[in-house]
Amino acid sequence: MSQRREISEDGRELLFDHGAPYFTVTNPDVLSVVTEWESRGLVAEWKSNFGSFDCFTNKFVNTEHQERESKKYVGVPGMNSICKALCHEPGVDSKFNMGIGKFEWLEHENLWSLIGLDRQHLGHFKGVVASDKNIASPRFTAITGQPPPLDLSLAPELVKLHDIPIYPCFALMLAFNEPLSLVPAKGLSFTNSKVLSRANCESSKPGRSSTSERWVLHSTTEYAKDVIAQSGLEKPSKETLSKVGNEMLQEFLSTGLSIPQPFFMKAHRWGSAFPAASIAKEEKCVWSEKKKLAICGDFCLSPNVEGAILSGLAAASKLKGLIRTL
């Protein structure tokens, strides 16, 4: 649920939800949480037209109004507004720009010691929650060059976390001076495209600036895998991102929808976009009662925002039970 702030060459501020474009809700527990967020102005329903575009026939299919589909929610004024608000809840002491390099279990004290990526000691804690699917994965080492922060041998429950499979994605952020008037939907899925999976109009969402028309395109998993196979897991170079951006834009332009050239374009690699497995469908989170450690996220239950919320609620429930016994 990320939002990216960019500045165009002429000094305009451009905001993009370059991760999850929106989320839907089916679970009553999640709906209760989202309704409360909505009452606080943190989320709103995105009421617009959504549809699908067939790149083989170059035609739209199933373009219909929001009322015929499940409600689509977005954060206001950006998808990251919910996480920002959670960080400022009473009793929460948030620290940013701080990566955890190692979780160390102190057996005699029955405490966790957390050590930063810079080897700085960050304190002792009675309980820990983590929501990073790469916390114990070899993928962490491939990207950072350092061993994963969490040693799986610390608790038998943690073995599920070893190398959770993921589907990668590339996101392309575009800004146009004029509306894309021949595109009848503000949220699109693509069929028969090897490059594009989705396109969403950022500026049509509630609470967004409409001074320019902004779109985010998401690549297919297969396209992203091919690029990463050639370029590696390290941070992609400017040349790689430029090539990806041009290829994704060309696929968008080739739809025959008279799409103009954008005045701003930037590609982003979303390397661990979607978990390809659910590791705790019954429990909804990974929990070590002895070590007071909860691991939660969309990779536990279902690969979407609702799955992440449900998993977080499960981890919170475990911790609340723990606090009552302290």
Side-chain angles (χ1 to χ4, degrees):
M1 299 180 76
S2 297
Q3 187 180 65
R4 177 71 67 91
R5 177 179 179 268
E6 298 286 351
I7 303 295
S8 65
E9 287 185 359
D10 58 2
R12 280 185 271 183
E13 182 185 63
L14 305 169
L15 298 174
F16 299 93
D17 294 331
H18 64 310
Y22 59 82
F23 64 97
T24 57
V25 177
T26 58
N27 181 281
D29 293 334
V30 177
L31 185 59
S32 171
V33 173
V34 172
T35 300
E36 193 261 334
W37 288 342
E38 197 171 14
S39 71
R40 293 167 57 187
L42 298 175
V43 304
E45 185 184 346
W46 184 17
K47 298 178 181 179
S48 193
N49 289 344
F50 300 89
S52 180
F53 186 83
D54 188 328
C55 291
F56 180 72
T57 62
N58 271 19
K59 290 182 179 178
F60 282 96
V61 290
N62 302 327
T63 301
E64 54 187 28
H65 195 263
Q66 166 76 23
E67 291 170 353
R68 300 184 198 173
E69 299 185 344
S70 57
K71 288 184 177 181
K72 293 176 172 60
Y73 294 96
V74 296
V76 179
M79 284 299 278
N80 61 352
S81 64
I82 296 166
C83 294
K84 276 185 176 179
L86 290 172
C87 288
H88 294 100
E89 291 284 348
V92 176
D93 178 17
S94 298
K95 298 185 185 300
F96 301 98
N97 299 315
M98 186 175 286
I100 304 299
K102 189 174 184 183
F103 291 73
E104 208 166 63
W105 176 249
L106 308 176
E107 191 70 47
H108 297 298
E109 291 92 338
N110 223 25
L111 293 171
W112 284 101
S113 171
L114 298 190
I115 298 162
L117 283 167
D118 58 1
R119 306 191 191 286
Q120 182 183 345
H121 178 66
L122 302 175
H124 292 161
F125 302 91
K126 292 178 180 176
V128 171
V129 188
S131 61
D132 182 357
K133 67 176 77 68
N134 294 322
I135 195 170
S137 169
R139 200 178 302 115
F140 184 91
T141 304
I143 294 169
T144 66
Q146 298 194 36
L150 185 62
D151 183 351
L152 292 177
S153 67
L154 287 171
E157 300 90 347
L158 303 179
V159 70
K160 298 176 181 178
L161 294 165
H162 178 70
D163 210 13
I164 299 167
I166 54 95
Y167 294 136
C169 176
F170 279 92
L172 180 64
M173 297 165 276
L174 300 170
F176 302 90
N177 283 314
E178 301 154 13
L180 307 192
S181 54
L182 290 184
V183 182
K186 298 302 183 184
L188 289 174
S189 60
F190 292 94
T191 58
N192 295 314
S193 172
K194 292 183 178 179
V195 179
L196 296 180
S197 65
R198 288 206 61 84
N200 295 285
C201 180
E202 294 296 304
S203 40
S204 70
K205 295 178 181 179
R208 270 63 168 180
S209 164
S210 56
T211 53
S212 63
E213 175 124 343
R214 298 178 309 286
W215 286 74
V216 172
L217 312 183
H218 281 171
S219 77
T220 61
T221 297
E222 291 70 25
Y223 175 80
K225 282 181 175 178
D226 286 346
V227 173
I228 292 170
Q230 295 172 39
S231 61
L233 282 173
E234 295 80 14
K235 184 178 179 181
S237 65
K238 287 183 180 179
E239 291 75 21
T240 295
L241 290 176
S242 176
K243 180 175 182 288
V244 165
N246 286 324
E247 288 175 353
M248 291 177 68
L249 177 62
Q250 284 308 310
E251 186 80 351
F252 198 37
L253 295 177
S254 70
T255 54
L257 296 170
S258 300
I259 294 167
Q261 284 291 329
F263 69 82
F264 175 87
M265 178 175 83
K266 189 170 186 178
H268 166 77
R269 187 183 74 184
W270 192 8
S272 295
F274 308 105
S278 300
I279 65 170
K281 280 191 171 182
E282 295 298 321
E283 310 90 337
K284 300 178 184 174
C285 69
V286 177
W287 169 246
S288 171
E289 186 168 0
K290 186 180 178 184
K291 297 289 198 296
K292 308 177 187 68
L293 172 68
I295 313 288
C296 57
D298 58 357
F299 52 91
C300 288
L301 195 58
S302 57
N304 48 42
V305 172
E306 182 175 39
I309 294 171
L310 271 173
S311 184
L313 289 173
S317 177
K318 296 291 187 187
L319 278 172
K320 284 164 75 176
L322 170 71
I323 290 168
R324 283 194 286 268
T325 65
L326 293 178

